[in-house]
Amino acid sequence: MAAGKCNIIFSDIDGTLIFSEKRRKVGDIVIEYKDGEPISCITARQAEIFPRLTNVIPVTTRSIEQYKRIEFAKFGFSPKYALCDNGGTLLVDGEVNAEWAKWSGDIYRECETEMSRFRELLERDSNRSFEVRLVDGLFLFTKSSRPSATLDFLGCGELCECFATGEKVYVVPRKLGKGAAVKRFARLYGIAEFAAAGDSLMDLSMLNSANTAVFADTIPENAVTASVKLSCSRGDFTDFVTEFADKLQKK
């Protein structure tokens, strides 16, 4: 990785590099299975480009297990680095980086009391439709039949943030956001400039940490503060990001 060159792109995964089986069209290719059932896909164009991409660092709220379930390597895409758990875990060649894990664990312990309070609230929430999980020891996850009502019930935290994407509800330490993670990674590896791509408000801190932000039109443009902004319709976004990463690599 060369410092001073904006040829690295930190990319969200779901909705950005891959998309749900529910959106699968003729010609699309399954890239992830769960219990034998297809759950995520890529386009044929992405499958063609993936082997060339060595400049993409995935950044995801997925757990380590969920990330490893994606069959990227089958399509010639084997990122050396990946940030899972909303940036709380750094994988290097598929292995957990111990120093990064200690940093994240210290952050979690700082807000453990507040996190316990949010867990109690989630357990009592009448809208909850799934068990409450502590994911990789770093943040809370559940599902809600009325996510907006669940967020209202939870309220705000001083040390933790509450998010909802669709029916999924998260409670995450503020210091473990994607933005903080990519900035820390950039400092550690001497990356002066970088791009970022994402399709939801959970990606916003990462987008606004980048020099160039590539985002789906599901994110309001006025919420993005990066110096260079590239927006694309949700339906074409995964191809758009893959093409962008390919062009960035050739600079």
Side-chain angles (χ1 to χ4, degrees), residues 48-216:
E48 177 187 335
I49 295 174
F50 270 6
R52 300 200 292 266
L53 300 183
T54 60
N55 62 335
V56 176
I57 300 173
V59 185
T60 179
T61 308
R62 283 177 175 244
S63 67
I64 299 168
E65 178 185 0
Q66 290 171 331
Y67 170 73
K68 290 186 175 182
R69 193 170 62 202
I70 306 170
E71 298 179 344
F72 281 135
K74 181 178 177 181
F75 298 92
F77 179 49
S78 300
K80 180 176 181 63
Y81 304 100
L83 288 161
C84 300
D85 297 319
N86 210 46
T89 297
L90 171 63
L91 298 180
V92 183
D93 293 324
E95 299 297 324
V96 174
N97 179 278
E99 180 184 356
W100 195 284
K102 182 181 182 306
W103 170 73
S104 299
D106 289 344
I107 289 173
Y108 179 81
R109 282 185 285 276
E110 287 176 8
C111 60
E112 194 165 11
T113 299
E114 187 171 288
M115 192 69 76
S116 295
R117 179 175 65 82
F118 277 120
R119 179 160 198 156
E120 290 174 4
L121 288 171
L122 285 171
E123 295 286 3
R124 300 202 320 260
D125 179 25
S126 60
N127 300 298
R128 183 170 56 83
S129 57
F130 191 73
E131 65 182 344
V132 181
R133 291 181 178 175
L134 178 63
V135 179
D136 289 339
L138 293 174
F139 64 91
L140 297 176
F141 166 79
T142 190
K143 295 180 183 179
S144 172
S145 58
R146 297 175 62 215
S148 295
T150 294
L151 292 182
D152 288 341
F153 180 66
L154 291 174
C156 297
E158 180 181 351
L159 301 175
C160 302
E161 291 183 282
C162 303
F163 296 96
T165 57
E167 64 179 356
K168 298 175 182 178
V169 176
Y170 303 87
V171 182
V172 183
R174 291 184 183 275
K175 293 182 181 179
L176 287 185
K178 292 183 179 182
V182 299
K183 285 189 285 189
R184 183 169 189 264
F185 187 98
R187 287 195 303 270
L188 285 175
Y189 290 93
I191 302 171
E193 297 183 5
F194 58 86
D199 73 313
S200 78
L201 292 177
M202 289 189 74
D203 302 317
L204 192 57
S205 64
M206 176 173 68
L207 294 170
N208 288 339
S209 298
N211 304 90
T212 300
V214 183
F215 56 100

Side-chain angles (χ1 to χ4, degrees), residues 35-54:
D35 300 326
E37 296 296 323
I39 59 173
S40 298
C41 304
I42 58 173
T43 67
R45 179 60 177 153
Q46 287 179 281
E48 177 187 335
I49 295 174
F50 270 6
R52 300 200 292 266
L53 300 183
T54 60

